[in-house]
Amino acid sequence: MSVRVQCPACGGAVVFEVGSSMVAVCPYCRSAVARGDRSIENLGIVADLVETGAALRVGLEGKFEGRKFQLTGRTQLQHEAGGVWDEWYASFGNDKWGWLSEAQGRYYLLFAQNESDELPEYDTLSPGDGVYLLEDSTRFVVAETGTATSRGAEGEIPYRLVPGSTYLFADLSGPDGEFATLDYSEVPPNLYVGREITLDDLGIPDNIKREIYELRQVKAKQINCPNCGGPLDLKAPDKTERVGCPFCGSMLDATQGNLTLLTALEKPPFKLMIPLGAKGTFGKDERTVIGAVERSVTVEGTDYFWQEYLLYDDRDGFEWLVRADNHWNRVKGVPIGKIDEGVSNATYKGQNFRLFQSGTATVCGVIGECYWKVSVGERAYTRDFIHPPMMLSSESSSAGSTREMNWSVGTYLTPAEVEQAFALEKPLPSPKGVAPNQVFPFKKIYLYGLLYFALLCVLGFLMLIISPSRKVVEQTFQLRNLTAAPAAPGMPVAAPEKVETFFTEPFELKPRRNVKVTVTCPNLNGYLVAEGDLVRESDGTVQPFLVPLTHYAGTEDGEAWTEGDHTKSEFLSAQGSGKYSLKLEVEKEHPELTGPLTVKVEQGSSSGMMWFLVFLGIVGFPAAVGVYHLIFNSTRWSNSSIEPPDEPEPVEEEPPMPPKAIDEPIPLAEEISPDERPVARPVARVVKRKKKKRRPRDDEEDDDAE
C-alpha cells in the first residue's frame, strides 16, 4: 500500500510505494525525505546523478531465482579516487530487499545478514587477507577497503540516506563467485552477502537489452581536443574519466561534461600498433579498442616498457590486450576470492601458477579513453605468476585511505592471432625472445614419440605372433686337422691347409621372410671365418655372406679368462621361395683345430639391431626437441626477477605508497616525486631484467627499422 506525504522542503508530493522503504527522493527539489512513526524529515538535498551508462533503471522488474522483484531506488556512491558506482535497491516483497551494485559492467546482488558482534574491525582488514564471515566454512578474501560518500539518489531507499555522508567499507570475494560488503556506518557493522550475477540472471527482458545497446550507440560521440583541436571519437563516454589525445598526447579530464585540459603535450607519448576504434573478434566475443596505456618498470637502473590496450564491450565491460616485446596477452579481471596466493605460487581454478616477477609498474603515457582517473607517473606494486599459456597477475594500489588488490588472468596470443582478430593490414612486429607465459611450440612431439614407440612395441608383438621364428635346416660338420704330414728327407716342407669346404643339404625357403644363418664352433680358441654362399638351386642365384668367429681362452696368474664367443649369427634379406643350399668355406687360424662345426638356418627371426635402430629413430628427434625445450625454458627464466622454480625464494612485497590528490592537475612523469604512489587499476604485465643499458621502446625500434 502506497503512502503519500508532503515534501518538507518544497511541499511537493512524495510517494512511498513500498511499505518498508525509509527514504524517498523528492522528484521536484531532490530532497531526501525520511519518514518516521509520526512525522517526516528532510535529510538534505541529494546531488544530481552522474551519467554512468547504467543498464538498469528505477521501476524495472525482473526475476531472480524464481522470485520477482522491482527496482525502487538508486544511489550513487563516490570513491576516494573520484569515480562513482551505482547501487540499486530491489524490493522482493514481504519487506525483503536486495542491494544490486553496478560498476564497470559487472553486477553484484547482495542481501543483508543478521547482526553479529563477531565481524572483524575495519582496522584489522587488509587487501588479500582471508576472513570467515558466516557460520559456514566459506572463506572470503578482502579485495578493497576504503571510504564511500553518498552523492546522488533517486526513488525509494530502504535505509536512512543522508546526502554527503561518508562511511568506511570493505569489499570481499569468495571462491565460487560469492561477494560480500562490510558497511561500517553503524556499530556493529552491517554485513551484505551475495554473488556476482549477469543481466540474464536477473531475467532482464531482451527488449531492454536492445534499448541499452541502442542507447550506447547514440551516446558514442565525437568532440575535439581543447589543446590541438583533433577529433576525439569517444566509444564509451558514459564510463570514461580520462582521455589521452592521440594527436598531441594531452591528458584530458572527462568527468565534468566537456573535456578539461590537464596536461598539454606536443606529440603522442608512444606509437599504437592497433588504432583506436578498431574492432577485434576473439571467438564469439567482439571487442573495441578505446584506449591504450604505456607502462614501465625499472630493474637495476634499466627501464622496460610495454603497452596495454583497453578493450570495451557494452555487455561485458572492460578487458585488456597487453603487448610486451611484441608478445601479446588477452587479460581479464578475476575475483580475488578465486585466488589462493602463496609466497612463490598462486592457485586459480585448480591450476598452480609459479611466481615469475614482481615490481612497481609506472604509467608513462595514455592515449584514448580510460575508465579511471589515470595519471602519468601513477604506480602500483605488481606480481605475475605463470602457468603457460596463462599469466595470473595481482596489483596492489592505494588512493587516500582506500587500499585495494585486483587480480587478472591473461592468455598468450601470437601476433598472427591478433592480426586475424583485428583484420590488420600491416603485419605486427615479430616477437623477441621467450615470453613469460609463452607455450613451448613443439610439445606435441613428445606425444607423437610416445605413440610411435607404443606402435613399435605393438608391431613387434604382432610379428612374434603372426610370423614366429622357423628353423629351416641345422647341420653339423666335423673339422679336420689340416696340419701337413712330415716331409721326407730332402723334400721341401708343405704349407698347411687352412680352409675347409662344406655343403649343406637342400632346404626350402618361404618368401618375404628374412634369413638368419648361425655358425657354432664349441672347440674354437682363436679366430674362424665362415665365408658362405646361399645358392638358389633353380637358377644358381648366389647370396654371399660372412660369419667371423673369435674366441680366446686361457689362464693368467692362476685365473681362467675368456674373450669372444663360440657362436655368431648373420642376417640376410628375404629371398624368393624355392630350394636352396649353403656352401661354406671355413678358414681357421689354427690348422690343427678339429671338432664339430654347426650351421643353422632360420626364417622369421627378428634382428635386435634393426629394432634398436628404429627405436633410436623414434626417440632421437623427441630427445633433440627436449634439449631445445630446456634451452627454451632457460631463456624464459633468465628474464625473470625471481629465482628459477627449482629454488623459489620468498618475495618481500613493497607496500603501496600514498597517491597524489586526484583533483589536482596531473603533472608529467618527471615532476612526480619518487615518494608519491598514485592509484592504479588491474592489468597484466611482462617485465624483464638483467640488461646493461636502457632498452628503447618497441615503437622506437620499429621506427628505426622503417
Side-chain angles (χ1 to χ4, degrees):
M1 178 177 178
S2 63
V3 176
R4 182 185 297 267
V5 300
Q6 188 176 16
C7 175
C10 69
V14 178
V15 180
F16 289 84
E17 298 286 353
V18 182
S20 57
S21 60
M22 297 181 63
V23 174
V25 178
C26 176
Y28 306 102
C29 67
R30 301 201 57 77
S31 294
V33 180
R35 63 175 177 174
D37 294 336
R38 298 182 180 181
S39 62
I40 59 175
E41 180 183 0
N42 182 4
L43 300 179
I45 303 295
V46 297
D48 292 334
L49 293 171
V50 175
E51 181 55 61
T52 59
L56 306 174
R57 62 172 181 242
V58 172
L60 185 66
E61 295 182 348
K63 183 181 291 186
F64 178 72
E65 295 183 348
R67 297 187 59 183
K68 293 183 179 180
F69 68 85
Q70 183 181 35
L71 298 182
T72 66
R74 167 195 185 189
T75 61
Q76 279 189 342
L77 303 171
Q78 186 167 15
H79 194 276
E80 283 185 289
V84 297
W85 72 92
D86 292 308
E87 192 172 88
W88 303 83
Y89 305 103
S91 174
F92 286 85
N94 297 325
D95 297 338
K96 179 72 173 178
W97 289 90
W99 275 252
L100 181 60
S101 296
E102 178 182 3
Q104 299 173 11
R106 294 184 178 181
Y107 303 91
Y108 304 90
L109 182 59
L110 311 178
F111 297 93
Q113 305 298 305
N114 296 329
E115 292 186 2
S116 174
D117 296 330
E118 299 180 358
L119 296 176
E121 296 182 1
Y122 177 82
D123 293 337
T124 65
L125 299 177
S126 294
D129 290 349
V131 178
Y132 291 90
L133 301 175
L134 305 175
E135 294 181 356
D136 60 18
S137 58
T138 302
R139 179 180 181 270
F140 287 84
V141 180
V142 179
E144 180 178 5
T145 62
T147 303
T149 302
S150 299
R151 177 170 175 169
E154 64 175 331
E156 299 178 54
I157 300 167
Y159 66 94
R160 184 179 176 85
L161 170 69
V162 179
S165 62
T166 62
Y167 65 91
L168 299 174
F169 73 91
D171 286 338
L172 306 97
S173 176
D176 297 316
E178 301 95 341
F179 192 83
T181 294
L182 283 167
D183 178 352
Y184 289 90
S185 60
E186 299 179 1
V187 179
N190 298 312
L191 173 62
Y192 304 89
V193 178
R195 64 182 177 87
E196 184 176 351
I197 58 173
T198 64
L199 291 179
D200 293 330
D201 295 330
L202 296 175
I204 302 300
D206 290 337
N207 61 330
I208 297 295
K209 300 175 186 177
R210 287 194 296 271
E211 290 175 9
I212 296 168
Y213 177 76
E214 293 169 359
L215 180 62
R216 293 281 170 81
Q217 292 298 99
V218 171
K219 286 183 178 179
K221 59 183 180 181
Q222 188 176 70
I223 55 181
N224 295 326
C225 172
N227 183 51
C228 69
L232 304 176
D233 188 13
L234 303 187
K235 302 298 182 181
D238 50 359
K239 295 183 179 294
T240 298
E241 296 197 19
R242 286 286 188 269
V243 178
C245 178
F247 303 101
C248 67
S250 297
M251 184 73 74
L252 310 172
D253 178 72
T255 61
Q256 306 299 324
N258 295 327
L259 294 181
T260 303
L261 179 64
L262 296 175
T263 304
L265 300 177
E266 296 180 356
K267 63 178 182 178
F270 57 94
K271 178 182 177 181
L272 292 175
M273 292 291 104
I274 304 176
L276 297 182
K279 294 184 180 295
T281 302
F282 302 91
K284 297 181 179 180
D285 301 333
E286 183 178 88
R287 300 290 184 262
T288 302
V289 178
I290 67 171
V293 177
E294 184 175 70
R295 306 174 84 185
S296 71
V297 67
T298 302
V299 180
E300 298 178 356
T302 303
D303 296 330
Y304 301 97
F305 299 87
W306 68 95
Q307 297 173 1
E308 300 170 348
Y309 292 80
L310 180 58
L311 308 182
Y312 176 71
D313 177 74
D314 65 293
R315 288 280 296 178
D316 298 332
F318 299 98
E319 60 185 64
W320 295 88
L321 191 63
V322 179
R323 172 195 176 225
D325 283 339
N326 298 324
H327 296 276
W328 297 82
N329 275 275
R330 184 186 178 190
V331 181
K332 300 179 180 180
V334 295
I336 189 174
K338 293 181 178 290
I339 310 298
D340 187 8
E341 182 183 8
V343 175
S344 59
N345 73 305
T347 303
Y348 173 64
K349 289 188 175 180
Q351 293 182 319
N352 184 55
F353 290 72
R354 290 188 178 275
L355 179 63
F356 185 84
Q357 57 201 4
S358 63
T360 300
T362 303
V363 174
C364 303
V366 181
I367 296 178
E369 304 170 58
C370 278
Y371 58 81
W372 81 96
K373 291 187 176 181
V374 61
S375 61
V376 174
E378 133 182 336
R379 290 172 288 172
Y381 180 69
T382 66
R383 279 158 60 90
D384 292 328
F385 303 80
I386 62 170
H387 181 99
M390 294 187 294
M391 175 186 289
L392 197 61
S393 302
S394 72
E395 287 198 1
S396 300
S397 59
S398 65
S401 63
T402 298
R403 295 175 297 165
E404 62 179 321
M405 176 181 287
N406 293 283
W407 285 83
S408 59
V409 61
T411 303
Y412 183 82
L413 298 175
T414 64
E417 291 174 313
V418 178
E419 291 171 8
Q420 181 179 2
F422 288 92
L424 300 178
E425 297 180 359
K426 182 179 178 181
L428 294 171
S430 301
K432 305 169 188 175
V434 178
N437 59 327
Q438 183 179 357
V439 176
F440 182 65
F442 305 113
K443 267 191 172 181
K444 290 185 178 180
I445 295 296
Y446 303 136
L447 177 60
Y448 293 149
L450 182 62
L451 291 176
Y452 282 126
F453 176 72
L455 181 62
L456 178 65
C457 294
V458 172
L459 182 61
F461 180 73
L462 291 177
M463 290 186 65
L464 290 176
I465 296 176
I466 298 174
S467 180
S469 176
R470 179 179 72 93
K471 184 171 69 174
V472 177
V473 66
E474 184 174 12
Q475 194 167 346
T476 301
F477 305 96
Q478 292 296 322
L479 297 174
R480 297 181 294 109
N481 188 344
L482 300 181
T483 303
M491 298 295 293
V493 178
E497 295 183 23
K498 291 188 176 182
V499 178
E500 292 186 75
T501 302
F502 305 99
F503 294 90
T504 65
E505 299 174 355
F507 51 85
E508 189 80 22
L509 291 182
K510 295 182 178 181
R512 297 182 297 277
R513 295 186 183 182
N514 65 338
V515 177
K516 178 182 178 182
V517 179
T518 303
V519 178
T520 304
C521 182
N523 295 338
L524 179 62
N525 190 11
Y527 72 83
L528 179 149
V529 178
E531 185 176 353
D533 291 319
L534 178 63
V535 182
R536 186 173 184 177
E537 293 188 350
S538 61
D539 55 9
T541 303
V542 175
Q543 175 66 53
F545 62 90
L546 193 69
V547 182
L549 289 178
T550 302
H551 179 267
Y552 294 94
T555 302
E556 184 176 351
D557 297 332
E559 294 184 3
W561 59 271
T562 60
E563 180 181 342
D565 202 348
H566 294 103
T567 302
K568 185 70 179 291
S569 299
E570 183 71 20
F571 284 88
L572 309 180
S573 59
Q575 306 292 314
S577 61
K579 284 189 174 297
Y580 291 80
S581 62
L582 279 182
K583 174 187 177 184
L584 289 178
E585 293 183 350
V586 179
E587 180 180 356
K588 303 180 292 184
E589 179 184 6
H590 304 293
E592 66 275 12
L593 175 63
T594 60
L597 178 75
T598 303
V599 179
K600 181 170 64 174
V601 179
E602 300 172 279
Q603 268 197 298
S605 295
S606 61
S607 171
M609 180 58 67
M610 179 191 69
W611 288 101
F612 179 70
L613 293 176
V614 175
F615 172 76
L616 285 182
I618 291 176
V619 303
F621 188 62
V625 172
V627 173
Y628 176 52
H629 197 170
L630 292 175
I631 298 174
F632 185 91
N633 280 333
S634 177
T635 303
R636 181 205 309 277
W637 284 99
S638 68
N639 294 325
S640 171
S641 61
I642 310 298
E643 291 296 328
D646 292 337
E647 300 178 3
E649 292 184 359
V651 179
E652 182 178 353
E653 293 194 6
E654 177 184 339
M657 301 175 63
K660 200 168 182 66
I662 295 299
D663 295 333
E664 297 181 8
I666 298 177
L668 298 177
E670 58 269 18
E671 299 175 339
I672 295 181
S673 167
D675 295 332
E676 297 171 328
R677 189 189 188 97
V679 66
R681 283 297 185 270
V683 286
R685 297 138 312 277
V686 181
V687 183
K688 292 199 167 184
R689 70 163 187 164
K690 294 184 180 177
K691 303 293 182 181
K692 299 302 181 183
K693 61 181 180 179
R694 176 192 180 277
R695 188 184 66 190
R697 295 180 175 88
D698 293 332
D699 55 286
E700 292 176 348
E701 294 175 341
D702 297 333
D703 292 340
D704 294 340
E706 294 174 0

